[in-house]
Amino acid sequence: FTKPGAAEGWHPQHGIANLEPTAEGLRVKISGDDPYFAGPAFNLPADAPLWLHLRVRSEVGGSGQVFYFRDNPKPDDAVSFSAKRGEWQDVRIKLPALGPGYHFRIDPPGESGAMVLASLRVEARLVITPPKWVGPVPYSPAAGDATVRAGELVLQHSPDTLGAWQLTVVGTRM
């Protein structure tokens, strides 16, 4: 939003006095409760979850929200962010995979003052899939397996198979 023309397609919707492009970014002048503004449709990756990066400075600080939608914003399609008062900060927000034709609606923190949005950037989010571990194989004790007893606690272990053991307490397998 620091480059000329970058704010085209963004418009106030509620509780916003004006959106003003400046050298620092898009200055959002807040004029009432539940302020929000929205932007043009973006073609976003549909095959991977996303990161949304915002660079913001809020005069009042507090909680804000970003809605992502094609037609109408819904509460289930929103994520919150926190902005410190008077400080530039980089906010990183998890988003699901979205696809073409998505808009963003930004609800800045506060009911007065201003917020400057220097940048909004979206990138694919790498999700590491955990390996599928092989579960334990049930062990059936056999004659000659190692056995250790401590009162009602009994540990039996196969000398031939790694991980083949059994622990019982008062005869109940644990």
Side-chain angles (χ1 to χ4, degrees), residues 1-2 5 9 23 34 46 50-51 61 63 65-66 73 84 87 93 106 119 122-123 128 139 150 152-153 160 174:
F1 291 97
T2 58
D34 193 23
L50 305 170
W51 284 117
S63 262
Q65 281 189 302
V66 177
K84 295 179 184 173
E87 294 182 29
I93 301 169
I106 299 175
S119 65
V122 177
E123 69 179 356
I128 299 172
Y139 163 71
E152 297 294 327
L153 182 71
D160 302 322
M174 296 288 123

Side-chain angles (χ1 to χ4, degrees), residues 81-105:
F81 68 93
S82 182
K84 295 179 184 173
R85 183 177 149 192
E87 294 182 29
W88 279 109
Q89 66 187 108
D90 295 306
V91 177
R92 186 171 77 164
I93 301 169
K94 285 182 180 181
L95 295 178
L98 296 175
Y102 269 84
H103 299 264
F104 291 114
R105 183 185 105 180

Side-chain angles (χ1 to χ4, degrees), residues 37-98:
F37 62 103
F42 292 94
N43 292 324
L44 303 167
D47 58 349
L50 305 170
W51 284 117
L52 174 64
H53 298 271
L54 303 175
R55 177 141 178 87
V56 299
R57 184 182 69 213
S58 171
E59 288 180 358
V60 297
S63 262
Q65 281 189 302
V66 177
F67 288 78
Y68 47 92
F69 61 97
R70 280 197 173 116
D71 299 315
N72 295 306
K74 298 178 192 124
D76 289 344
D77 297 331
V79 287
S80 296
F81 68 93
S82 182
K84 295 179 184 173
R85 183 177 149 192
E87 294 182 29
W88 279 109
Q89 66 187 108
D90 295 306
V91 177
R92 186 171 77 164
I93 301 169
K94 285 182 180 181
L95 295 178
L98 296 175

Side-chain angles (χ1 to χ4, degrees), residues 149-166:
R149 294 180 189 279
E152 297 294 327
L153 182 71
V154 178
L155 174 64
Q156 294 172 293
H157 189 279
S158 168
D160 302 322
T161 308
L162 179 64
W165 58 273
Q166 170 178 281

Side-chain angles (χ1 to χ4, degrees), residues 123-155:
E123 69 179 356
R125 177 169 43 102
L126 175 65
V127 176
I128 299 172
T129 304
K132 294 187 178 176
W133 299 105
V134 177
V137 176
Y139 163 71
S140 296
D145 287 354
T147 302
V148 178
R149 294 180 189 279
E152 297 294 327
L153 182 71
V154 178
L155 174 64

